[in-house]
Every structure is written in structure tokens, then in C-alpha cells.
Amino acid sequence: METSSTDWRYTVMPAVFTWLKESASGALEIDLVATQKYAADILRVQGKGGTRMGGLVGSGTLGENSYLSSEQRLSLLKALSEVAKEFNVPLISGAAAETKEELAKIVKELATVGVDTVMVMPPKTKQAPSDEEMYAYYALSAAAASEAGVTIMPYNNPDAAGYHALSTDLLRKLAALPEVTALKISTTDVSVIETLMLENQESKILAGVDTVTVHAGLAGACGGITGVGCIFPKASVTMQEYVNNGDWAEANKISQAMNSISYLDAQPLLLEYLKFAFGIHHNDEAGGLRTLGKQLTQQQIDDVRTRYILAKQRLEALGLAE
């Protein structure tokens, strides 16, 4: 695979967690300082080959996007844009709406706080739109992005997150839009990536599920967006280095070492699971359980802890647990 050291799409990028704290009233609010610190710590880590994460993803699925108000989302991204500028990487954020008009407005708002690329999720409607309606939804967001001077990344995540699926035909058409910098494919069915790459070798596709990073690379993905990489960034960056160099055996060793925790990235409660694992890793279990999402049961907490410990042990054996 041809790689570029200056093209962020050929790297792995962290979908950082939105860290929360309790206000004086006991309500949860965003801890901007902690969120910035954790994001910077992740971007500072180098893989064995000397590369780093090439972008910063904020207010995505793992950033509790769907639970934040517009004001909270913008303040969070403004804070993260400072980190992205410090490390000279693009800031990427998620966006979804019920209507294409509402989405276009959100895209323009995100551009005002330093977002460079908007991951556009399918519309938040109960009934799945037709391909024609879906294309119009994305086309208007592309026009808004062009006007605002940013790019978009159509986001197909029909599995764990439960969004409306984007058909392969639609993804092919969206990839042709000049404002589309890449497609994010978050599914364990990597044959979708292979099909798109066979039809257009110039396509830029980012994998979005940690369990299939290596398989997605084999299928033609040029990079990825990671949740587990927030917890074990050196392992995640090193695995992407091996994928980009076509060293599949070494990449697969890391994938297998992270398997127990990567599994959580493909579950409906991926936000809650991985955020708690991140809290364990940073000796802040209470912080890891503070979420605007669902509260974990004790059984789920114990399962995540067991999976985290196993992954850490396996990665320590490879010298990649930091």
C-alpha cells in the first residue's frame, strides 16, 4: 500500500472520550481541562516505527455526541481544537440531524470552532430514507462544508451504533463528491471496503471498528479511527504502521493481543464499556463510569475489567502496553 507521512488519512486517529465531572449541584458537566490533557497525552505517543496519531476525533460516538447539547458540543470542540493545533493535526467531529437543512447548519457551526472534517452520520429518523433522500442529505452537507471551508466524511455505522445503513451504491456516489475527503466504514463486514476499492483504487476509506483494523487494511482501508487506541495508543499506532507496511503477521499479533478489549468496540454499549476501561487504565474508575449514556451493571463492570486486564497482559508481553 502506498503511504504518505503527511496525509492524516494514512494513520490511525483517536476518538477521544468526553471526560465529565460533578458540578456543585451534583450534575455532570464537561471537564474540559481533563479532556484536553487526555487528548494531548494520546497524540504524544509514538509507535515503534516513530509515527503518531494523525488526527483528533472529538464529539463522536465515544465522545457522547448524541447526549450533548449544541452549546456543550461547540465548547468541547473549541477546547479540543487547541490540542489539535498544538500537534498540527486536523480536528474531526461527528454530526447528525433529522433533516438535511438542520445538518447543513451544524456543519457550518462546527467549522466556526476549528473542526476541519465533519463525520456525517445518517439522518436521525425512525424510518430509513431512500438512497435518493440520503444522497440529498449528504449533498447539502457537502455544499455547506464547501461554503464553510471544511470537508466531510460520510460515516457508515449500521452495526453497534444502529444508524441507518448506507448502501454500497450510495457510498460510491458520495465518494465522488469533491468535499468528501474519505469514507468511514464502521462495520465488521470488510467486504464493503474491498468492493469499493476494487471499483476505485483512489478511494480513501477509514476503518472504524478496532476488531477489524488488520482485515480492513487487507481490504484496502488506508487508515482508521480507534477507540481502543485511546487506552493503548502505542499498540494502536504500531499496528497501523505494520498495516501500512504490509507486515500483516506483526500487525495480527497486536490485533490478537487487543482482541479481548477490541471486542467491546463492536458492541451497542461501546461508549460506556470503553470509557470505563479508559478510566481503569488511568486509575480513575469513578471518572470512567461518569457518562451521559447508560449506567453499567456490576456484571458488565466486572467483564470490562477482566477484558482490560487480559489485553494489558498480552500487550505487555509485546512491549506495547503504555
Side-chain angles (χ1 to χ4, degrees), residues 2-246:
E2 182 180 356
T3 62
S4 170
S5 59
T6 59
D7 191 334
W8 59 270
R9 296 171 297 182
Y10 285 88
T11 73
V12 64
M13 290 148 276
V16 295
F17 304 101
T18 300
W19 220 243
L20 303 173
K21 61 182 179 181
E22 291 187 12
S23 65
S25 66
L28 292 179
E29 61 183 30
I30 298 176
D31 188 335
L32 294 175
V33 174
T35 302
Q36 286 179 309
K37 177 186 180 301
Y38 284 137
D41 287 346
I42 294 166
L43 292 178
R44 202 170 279 119
V45 174
Q46 290 184 316
K48 284 189 173 182
T51 69
R52 292 186 172 93
M53 303 260 185
L56 179 61
V57 182
S59 187
T61 301
L62 293 181
E64 315 208 21
N65 181 291
S66 60
Y67 300 105
L68 300 177
S69 67
S70 177
E71 182 180 357
Q72 288 175 317
R73 190 176 298 113
L74 293 176
S75 66
L76 168 65
L77 291 166
K78 186 175 181 181
L80 287 175
S81 71
E82 297 175 9
V83 179
K85 289 176 183 176
E86 177 186 352
F87 288 87
N88 193 31
V89 298
L91 177 62
I92 302 159
S93 176
E98 287 191 16
T99 68
K100 59 181 184 293
E101 292 80 13
E102 181 185 358
L103 176 65
K105 179 182 177 182
I106 292 173
V107 169
K108 291 179 181 179
E109 287 177 342
L110 294 178
T112 66
V113 292
V115 171
D116 300 289
T117 294
V118 182
M119 291 189 303
V120 182
M121 305 169 195
K124 296 190 295 185
T125 55
K126 290 184 179 180
Q127 185 174 352
S130 65
D131 271 12
E132 291 74 18
E133 292 170 328
M134 196 82 85
Y135 182 83
Y137 172 86
Y138 279 96
L140 188 59
S141 72
S146 178
E147 186 178 333
V150 298
T151 58
I152 67 169
M153 185 190 308
Y155 180 11
N156 190 28
N157 191 356
D159 297 342
Y163 295 104
H164 299 312
L166 304 180
S167 69
T168 304
D169 284 343
L170 179 60
L171 287 167
R172 186 187 305 110
K173 293 176 182 177
L174 294 178
L177 291 171
E179 297 82 9
V180 171
T181 187
L183 300 174
K184 181 183 177 185
I185 307 295
S186 295
T187 175
T188 55
D189 181 8
V190 296
S191 67
V192 174
I193 298 175
E194 184 175 75
T195 298
L196 290 168
M197 292 303 301
L198 282 170
E199 294 181 3
N200 183 4
Q201 289 294 316
E202 299 302 313
S203 296
K204 297 294 184 290
I205 298 176
L206 301 181
V209 183
D210 283 301
T211 54
V212 297
T213 298
V214 178
H215 310 85
L218 277 166
C222 57
I225 294 177
T226 178
V228 174
C230 295
I231 306 166
F232 297 113
K234 185 171 184 176
S236 186
V237 173
T238 302
M239 181 165 61
Q240 188 64 48
E241 289 174 342
Y242 286 136
V243 167
N244 287 352
N245 292 329

